Amino acid sequence: MGNPALPSLIIVIVLAVSFDIVNGFHDSANAIATSISTRVLSPRVAILMAAVCNFFGALISHNVAGTISQGLVHGNVEQYVIISALIGAIAWNLITWRLGLPSSSSHALIGALLGSVLMDTLSAGDVIWSGLLAKVVLPLVLSPVAGFIVAFLFMKLLLWLLASVSRLVVNRWFSKLQIISAAFMALSHGMNDAQKSMGIITLALISGGFLVPPQSGQAAVPVWVILLCAAAMAIGTSMGGSRIIKTVGMKMIKLTTVDGFAAEASAGAVITVMSALGNPLSTTHVITSAIMGVGSAKRFSSVRWSVVRSMVLAWVVTLPISALLGAAMVLLVKAVIRIS
């Protein structure tokens, strides 16, 4: 007889792929908004480049996937709990996309997963609180700060180095360099964001008895899961997200090619380091903070802080609201299971 957990696993995989696709078009602005706003790349070319770089970025590192699958909750999570978490995260992503708010897909998934687990068991012992603090809460606070500081200092350095160079020469060179920085940003996005769904599917494989975690405590992500999630992220990115692209690339600050290069290069560097450490951070938080840092380096008043306030509000409420959505989905899914 077949494994009774197989139908639930299939639902998890379908929802995880759907989350990756939604995550892709929700977060496509992270990599390409600046290059579109500076007119270095057309939207079509920028989105295609981001999709390709996201795919290959997803193949580079799997440390974040290990954190999601075994670093936040214990491995005996029921499949319907994982299903509930994915539904809750997708719902929050769609809500914020509709509002044009660049919220964190990563924290939506993590919040929904925690809310689902806690509502299902009503036991705080099922959450690995030390892992949550070290891998989620601290990076949640520190990564935007790092993005801001690195971008601020990098922009100050560029302004000093280019002070005597004509604007025509600067634009000519940085219109080319910004293509490289945009590709780097997209690559780093794939290194971090595509890992979340890999981790969720791996967690479902462990919970359903389809995968035995090694003694190291970090389950190896199957190759087919890596390729599936990388492809889903690339497909989602190729669909674009014009609402959030406008918010990130146009509403916060008027960007030049130098600004875009500094923001993308700084954010990409921070995300790459955090990904290597296995921290499932918000690439949205990092790139928007980097843009704020670039604007502040030129002139504090150049940043439209009213737009920033609305985005920060979305950042703050993402974890608790997605946790509530995950908890609500558990109750709903349990009711459906009882009826059927």
Side-chain angles (χ1 to χ4, degrees):
M1 293 180 65
N3 191 321
L6 183 58
S8 296
L9 176 65
I10 293 173
I11 295 174
V12 168
I13 293 172
V14 170
L15 286 172
V17 169
S18 300
F19 174 81
D20 250 351
I21 292 174
V22 173
N23 190 358
F25 75 72
H26 188 280
D27 287 5
S28 60
N30 296 356
I32 62 177
T34 54
S35 55
I36 291 175
S37 66
T38 57
R39 302 185 187 280
V40 167
L41 295 172
S42 68
R44 179 174 296 182
V45 172
I47 288 171
L48 178 61
M49 181 191 72
V52 173
C53 292
N54 262 299
F55 178 83
F56 286 105
L59 305 180
I60 294 175
S61 169
H62 309 124
N63 294 338
V64 174
T67 297
I68 296 293
S69 63
Q70 291 203 275
L72 301 179
V73 296
H74 294 291
N76 56 342
V77 180
E78 296 288 348
Q79 300 286 43
Y80 66 81
V81 174
I82 302 174
I83 291 171
S84 302
L86 285 166
I87 296 173
I90 291 171
W92 181 244
N93 270 357
L94 291 175
I95 290 168
T96 51
W97 166 77
R98 185 68 181 84
L99 296 174
L101 293 174
S103 67
S104 170
S105 298
S106 307
H107 294 130
L109 181 60
I110 292 169
L113 177 62
L114 296 176
S116 299
V117 169
L118 291 172
M119 177 56 73
D120 179 56
T121 63
L122 298 178
S123 171
D126 289 309
V127 176
I128 304 174
W129 296 103
S130 60
L132 179 66
L133 176 64
K135 294 295 186 180
V136 178
V137 176
L138 288 179
L140 170 66
V141 176
L142 295 179
S143 58
V145 174
F148 183 94
I149 293 173
V150 171
F152 181 88
L153 295 176
F154 188 34
M155 190 64 201
K156 283 291 189 185
L157 176 63
L158 288 175
L159 290 173
W160 177 69
L161 292 173
L162 301 171
S164 59
V165 182
S166 71
R167 179 171 294 185
L168 182 64
V169 173
V170 169
N171 286 337
R172 183 164 66 244
W173 277 100
F174 279 89
S175 62
K176 297 178 177 65
L177 289 173
Q178 199 186 350
I179 297 174
I180 298 173
S181 64
F184 176 45
M185 179 63 202
L187 195 74
S188 68
H189 179 267
M191 287 175 63
N192 201 281
D193 271 27
Q195 306 301 314
K196 281 82 174 198
S197 291
M198 294 183 197
I200 283 291
I201 294 176
T202 302
L203 176 62
L205 289 169
I206 295 170
S207 300
F210 298 94
L211 182 67
V212 178
Q215 294 302 312
S216 64
Q218 287 243 325
V221 183
V223 175
W224 68 267
V225 175
I226 295 171
L227 293 175
L228 178 66
C229 292
M233 178 64 72
I235 291 170
T237 304
S238 69
M239 297 165 67
S242 58
R243 293 176 185 273
I244 297 175
I245 287 173
K246 284 183 178 180
T247 301
V248 174
M250 301 173 190
K251 290 184 178 180
M252 274 201 305
I253 180 177
K254 185 176 181 180
L255 295 168
T256 66
T257 54
V258 181
D259 303 337
F261 171 79
E264 290 166 344
S266 301
V270 171
I271 294 167
T272 298
V273 171
M274 289 291 190
S275 299
L277 295 174
N279 296 332
L281 54 81
S282 168
T283 55
T284 306
H285 293 189
V286 177
I287 186 60
T288 48
S289 296
I291 292 172
M292 293 177 212
V294 165
S296 299
K298 296 171 67 178
R299 192 175 64 256
F300 192 77
S301 61
S302 66
V303 179
R304 297 186 181 95
W305 295 104
S306 59
V307 176
V308 172
R309 280 195 296 270
S310 65
M311 291 193 306
V312 171
L313 177 61
W315 296 358
V316 171
V317 302
T318 289
L319 268 175
I321 289 184
S322 56
L324 290 173
L325 286 171
M329 287 302 111
V330 162
L331 296 176
L332 180 61
V333 171
K334 277 185 170 181
V336 171
I337 292 173
R338 282 196 297 268
I339 292 172
S340 60

